[in-house]
Amino acid sequence: MRLELVDQRTRPAATALGSDALALLVAPLGRPEWWLNLVLVDDDQMGDLNRRWYGGQGPTDVLSFSYLEAAGEGAAALPAGEAGAACDLWLDAADATEDFVAGEVIVAPGFVADRCAREGWNLEDEWALLLVHGALHVLGWTHETDALRRDMQAREAGLLQAAGITHPLLRTAEEDS
């Protein structure tokens, strides 16, 4: 997928990773002609989105919205197991254009930076993880059970490793053992 950075913050600032580095993380996912929007929002906007769409309270680090369907007729636009798809994925024929946006990954950079500073986490690694995590949600991945969480983390780890990044959550688990 191709990555489009959409900055909707009231005071845009640099992100931890450049857009070229972020684009490389999602390039092996989805179809090469599809787009993924990485939308940067203020904490207040993130809190509103989290409450409206997920019933959460306050801002969170990342939200994902997929414009692909997990059910459809005919051949899937992206079969399960191909290019990161967790399941067969379809898109409406009217959407099958070069400018098709497969989904949006929404990140609150201020919230992420504050949490990383508080927890002592590497900000660049966290950005990479959030983008990969959100992109996988767009492609049908979930973490509703322990088994699904482990599968998703393994997929995340492989994508991050290809970029020379150790999965931050798995690194912490390895250090604790």
Side-chain angles (χ1 to χ4, degrees):
M1 281 189 289
R2 299 178 285 176
L3 187 69
E4 176 77 21
L5 185 64
V6 180
D7 199 336
Q8 295 184 345
R9 296 174 292 172
T10 54
R11 293 190 180 128
T15 58
L17 287 175
S19 58
D20 290 344
L22 292 170
L24 290 174
L25 290 167
V26 298
L29 299 173
R31 297 278 180 228
E33 65 274 13
W34 291 355
W35 286 93
L36 178 70
N37 287 340
L38 174 58
V39 183
L40 308 180
V41 298
D42 293 319
D43 289 359
D44 289 343
Q45 292 170 285
M46 181 61 97
D48 290 343
L49 290 167
N50 191 23
R51 183 178 54 260
R52 184 178 324 143
W53 295 101
Y54 293 96
Q57 293 295 318
T60 188
D61 49 8
V62 62
L63 295 173
S64 298
F65 297 91
S66 180
Y67 305 128
L68 298 162
E69 300 293 331
E73 297 194 17
L78 188 63
E82 188 176 309
C87 56
D88 287 345
L89 297 167
W90 286 263
L91 59 133
D92 188 297
D95 291 332
T97 67
E98 283 188 30
D99 295 329
F100 175 67
V101 176
E104 295 181 309
V105 174
I106 302 176
V107 176
F111 179 87
V112 173
D114 290 347
R115 187 175 65 181
C116 285
R118 186 175 57 251
E119 299 292 335
W121 297 345
N122 179 290
L123 185 59
E124 290 181 4
D125 290 354
E126 186 70 7
W127 265 94
L129 173 59
L130 293 175
L131 176 59
V132 166
H133 183 83
L136 289 176
H137 275 309
V138 168
L139 295 176
W141 290 87
T142 66
H143 43 76
E144 296 165 352
T145 67
D146 285 342
L148 290 171
R149 181 186 50 77
R150 283 190 301 273
D151 289 347
M152 188 169 180
Q153 282 184 336
R155 177 64 63 157
E156 291 166 351
L159 290 162
L160 292 169
Q161 185 176 31
I165 300 168
T166 301
H167 193 298
L169 297 176
L170 299 180
R171 177 186 316 130
T172 302
E174 290 169 3
E175 292 169 355
D176 291 343
S177 13

